[in-house]
Amino acid sequence: MEKVIVPEPHVPLPSGKTDRSLLQWMASVDHKQLGIMYLLTALLFFIAGGIEILLIRIQLITPDNTFLGPDLYNQLFTMHGTTMIFLVLMPTLIGLGVYLVPLMIGANEMAFPRLNAFSLWMTLLGGLILYFSFLDGGGAPAAGWFSYAPLSSSHYSSTKGVDYYCIGLILTGIGSVTAALNLVVTILTLRIPGMDFRRLPVFVWMMFITAFLILAAFPVLNAGLVMLLIDRQLNAHFFSPASGGSAILWQHLFWAFGHPEVYILALPPFGIISEVIPVFSRQPIFGYRFLIGSGIAIALLAFGVWMHHMFAVGLGNPINGFFAAGSMLIGIPTGIKVFNWILTMRGGSIRFTTAMLFAASFIVEFTIGGLSGISFALVPLDWQLTDTYYVVAHIHYVFLGGTLYAVFAGLFYWFPKITGRKLSERLGRIFFWLFFLGFNLTFMLQHVLGILGMPRRVYTYPDLPYFGLLNLLSTVGAFLMAASIGLFFWNILTSLRKGERAGDDPWNAWTLEWASSSPPALKNFDKVPPVRSLRPLWDLKHPENPDWKNEKSKQTRNEK
């Protein structure tokens, strides 16, 4: 097959240097280096958020514990939630997108390399400002990651913690919006000839849809944060009912961002899973068009369900009924994806590598999170379970059982491309089973705690039947997860030095990133294979049976 020459970017980039000094990394506009720095940023805050949750779990290990005081406990659970959402999962997914999207569409760079660097540094700056609040005399924000008014007002949160929260999240929000804009323009303008939207890898499609979600959702949050900051610093009254404002307005603004945010953190993982499962099942993805269509449907419906977070506010039956129906409706396109992945594996020659173990478990764990989410779409059940540990269990099955499992699958899958070396499969399997056991021990039991009536966001609890035992087991599970994460870090460190050399295409995969060297050079490609189907490398390796020929035959039969 004749290869396609990849055009150079119109604007010359700073050249790569042989040394890898800190300054060279800090001044870089190379999408691969920036992607790695996104991942390192997420890792830094992941460690911070992990320490916070371990302290929280130590506090909750027994009833009436006094390990932490209520004020510090409130700061820790606020910072844990904020950190994991905005400073761990968001940078991780954007970092993977920034690293992989140009490679997967056959481009040598992002559309706006300098804007790419700006996005990263804004995200990091926002995180550092948020954490600087610990060093301020008043401490970190303590009003929850959602900062509901009027609790977040200066009357009830008189320290500067909420101000740091507002400024930090505004900056990370700007970083996310500019990154999303960059991804959209990159995908629209830098695809290699032949790669039309019918041949775009699923991960790229999901990043494309997610970018539009970010562009629509984050400005709403940033507007609310600016209003909250004006309330606190300039004595305005946007969210003060006593002065003509509305505390409910904050909830509308926050959840109009907050529920799309769930899918901003879910759609890229759907893309990761859709790349990993076909390769390790040795089958093309089942129902490509349904996968993409359901992703678009999820993005559209995501803006019509935010009030299911507010059923307990008392907005009236018609509104509750409308948003309950919308919340159940969004389960349909999500369910379609689950069937796509299962049917892709059906009849395949499955290799249970660590990446595949995480991908297969993702389907189970995320489905559990989805089913518990449907229970919140039913208004009477929501009234019974809201603000209990059932909510904590649900959100962690979505964000850890869903997003984080997919991220681990993606890291084991693309680590050889990023570093040139494979992670140890032996350590990887031990890590998987430890994490799997710890995760389910921690959070499955919290469903029961919630049904028994244990409220969330409390720094201690009375010695009621089963509360102590379930919390003890939940804490043991959390430490099991921490141990598994330590093993994962050890795997990364040892594999970087002594891991098996990967070669360019260690998994015998099909998308274009595997046509570049491992790790890719400064210029990703000189030439890439022609793209005539969803699996250009399959076509290259199997000229006797390329996908494009089969697709053409199928199209001809359909036309007849």
Side-chain angles (χ1 to χ4, degrees):
M1 286 185 179
E2 186 181 348
K3 293 190 175 181
V4 178
I5 298 174
V6 182
E8 282 283 359
H10 295 299
V11 181
L13 304 175
S15 62
K17 297 183 179 178
T18 52
D19 68 282
R20 295 192 173 187
S21 66
L22 182 62
L23 181 62
Q24 193 265 328
W25 277 84
M26 290 179 68
S28 176
V29 293
D30 176 69
H31 76 98
K32 299 177 290 296
Q33 284 187 311
L34 290 170
I36 291 171
M37 285 193 282
Y38 263 114
L39 296 178
L40 292 176
T41 299
L43 176 63
L44 171 70
F45 289 111
F46 182 75
I47 293 170
I51 292 172
E52 287 157 3
I53 193 57
L54 290 179
L55 292 173
I56 289 171
R57 286 312 317 173
I58 291 172
Q59 168 62 21
L60 296 174
I61 195 168
T62 60
D64 302 315
N65 199 358
T66 56
F67 175 69
L68 297 175
D71 189 48
L72 181 56
Y73 182 90
N74 287 345
Q75 292 178 37
L76 289 176
F77 89 72
T78 298
M79 289 296 285
H80 170 72
T82 309
T83 299
M84 299 307 277
I85 299 289
F86 293 99
L87 302 175
V88 176
L89 296 182
M90 284 293 296
T92 299
L93 297 175
I94 290 177
L96 286 173
V98 162
Y99 191 100
L100 292 167
V101 164
L103 286 164
M104 296 178 90
I105 63 174
N108 278 325
E109 238 324 326
M110 294 284 286
F112 307 118
R114 291 169 182 81
L115 185 65
N116 201 13
F118 172 81
S119 305
L120 166 74
W121 293 113
M122 289 297 282
T123 301
L124 179 58
L125 177 63
L128 292 177
I129 286 177
L130 179 63
Y131 266 80
F132 186 75
S133 61
F134 274 117
L135 303 179
D136 193 277
W145 78 282
F146 36 77
S147 271
Y148 279 164
L151 180 60
S152 55
S153 70
S154 52
H155 297 295
Y156 299 99
S157 298
S158 57
T159 65
K160 296 178 184 172
V162 175
D163 300 311
Y164 284 110
Y165 167 91
C166 292
I167 296 169
L169 293 196
I170 287 170
L171 293 176
T172 61
I174 291 171
S176 298
V177 167
T178 51
L181 183 65
N182 209 350
L183 282 166
V184 168
V185 178
T186 299
I187 295 168
L188 285 176
T189 62
L190 296 184
R191 283 171 289 122
I192 198 73
M195 182 173 280
D196 58 31
F197 276 86
R198 295 167 302 170
R199 296 166 184 164
L200 213 55
V202 178
F203 177 73
V204 179
W205 252 114
M206 293 302 120
M207 289 305 302
F208 187 62
I209 298 168
T210 301
F212 281 103
L213 269 175
I214 292 173
L215 289 174
F218 268 82
V220 178
L221 174 66
N222 273 16
L225 290 167
V226 170
M227 292 162 72
L228 180 58
L229 201 56
I230 292 174
D231 265 10
R232 291 177 56 85
Q233 295 296 324
L234 302 177
N235 296 319
H237 307 292
F238 290 114
F239 306 120
S240 171
S243 305
S246 169
I248 303 301
L249 174 61
W250 170 260
Q251 290 197 41
H252 282 297
L253 290 173
F254 187 84
W255 290 116
F257 148 80
H259 204 82
E261 171 70 1
V262 173
Y263 295 100
I264 288 169
L265 298 177
L267 287 172
F270 292 168
I272 294 171
I273 296 302
S274 302
E275 301 297 336
V276 171
I277 286 180
V279 168
F280 293 111
S281 300
R282 307 314 298 164
Q283 299 220 90
I285 190 74
F286 180 90
Y288 172 80
R289 292 181 182 180
F290 280 100
L291 260 175
I292 306 306
S294 59
I296 295 170
I298 287 171
L300 295 174
L301 289 169
F303 287 98
V305 297
W306 83 87
M307 278 198 223
H308 85 221
H309 294 273
M310 301 166 61
F311 284 156
V313 169
L315 298 172
N317 289 336
I319 291 178
N320 287 350
F322 177 84
F323 282 91
S327 302
M328 284 187 276
L329 197 61
I330 207 167
I332 296 173
T334 309
I336 287 173
K337 290 183 184 298
V338 172
F339 284 112
N340 282 126
W341 297 320
I342 293 172
L343 291 173
T344 300
M345 288 190 284
R346 182 172 174 268
S349 177
I350 299 176
R351 285 186 290 164
F352 277 109
T353 60
T354 308
M356 188 60 179
L357 284 171
F358 273 107
S361 299
F362 163 92
I363 298 174
V364 177
E365 309 286 18
F366 186 78
T367 301
I368 293 172
L371 291 174
S372 61
I374 288 175
S375 62
F376 287 112
L378 304 171
V379 180
L381 274 178
D382 180 273
W383 284 345
Q384 185 67 27
L385 296 170
T386 192
D387 279 339
T388 70
Y389 259 78
Y390 193 92
V391 181
V392 179
H394 159 66
I395 196 170
H396 283 88
Y397 266 89
V398 172
F399 286 150
L400 263 67
T403 307
L404 195 58
Y405 268 60
V407 165
F408 285 141
L411 289 177
F412 273 89
Y413 179 60
W414 281 302
F415 188 86
K417 178 54 58 184
I418 296 172
T419 67
R421 292 181 185 270
K422 293 170 80 171
L423 286 166
S424 161
E425 280 293 311
R426 183 179 66 82
L427 292 179
R429 285 192 173 87
I430 298 171
F431 159 56
F432 167 78
W433 286 112
L434 276 176
F435 190 85
F436 179 83
L437 182 61
F439 170 76
N440 286 289
L441 185 61
T442 303
F443 296 109
M444 185 61 79
L445 298 178
Q446 291 182 3
H447 288 104
V448 182
L449 271 172
I451 292 170
L452 291 175
M454 179 167 170
R456 59 174 174 161
R457 306 171 195 144
V458 291
Y459 88 104
T460 190
Y461 55 91
D463 190 11
L464 295 173
Y466 304 111
F467 275 31
L469 175 63
L470 292 173
N471 272 294
L472 171 64
L473 292 174
S474 194
T475 300
V476 171
F479 276 87
L480 209 52
M481 275 196 291
S484 72
I485 294 294
L487 184 63
F488 177 57
F489 290 163
W490 177 251
N491 193 355
I492 290 176
L493 291 174
T494 54
S495 298
L496 281 173
R497 288 188 291 118
K498 296 187 274 184
E500 178 188 346
R501 292 197 181 278
D504 294 345
D505 184 13
W507 309 122
N508 193 15
W510 305 315
T511 38
L512 285 184
E513 74 272 26
W514 302 104
S516 69
S517 60
S518 299
L522 177 66
K523 185 182 179 185
N524 296 337
F525 304 102
D526 287 320
K527 293 181 178 180
V528 293
V531 178
R532 296 178 182 172
S533 74
L534 269 175
R535 302 192 298 172
L537 294 196
W538 169 274
D539 296 342
L540 187 68
K541 297 168 187 172
H542 302 86
E544 76 288 354
N545 184 30
D547 280 354
W548 61 268
K549 228 174 219 181
N550 296 330
E551 288 172 8
K552 197 172 179 181
S553 304
K554 188 177 176 183
Q555 188 179 357
T556 305
R557 283 198 303 273
N558 289 339
E559 287 171 358
K560 286 180 180 176

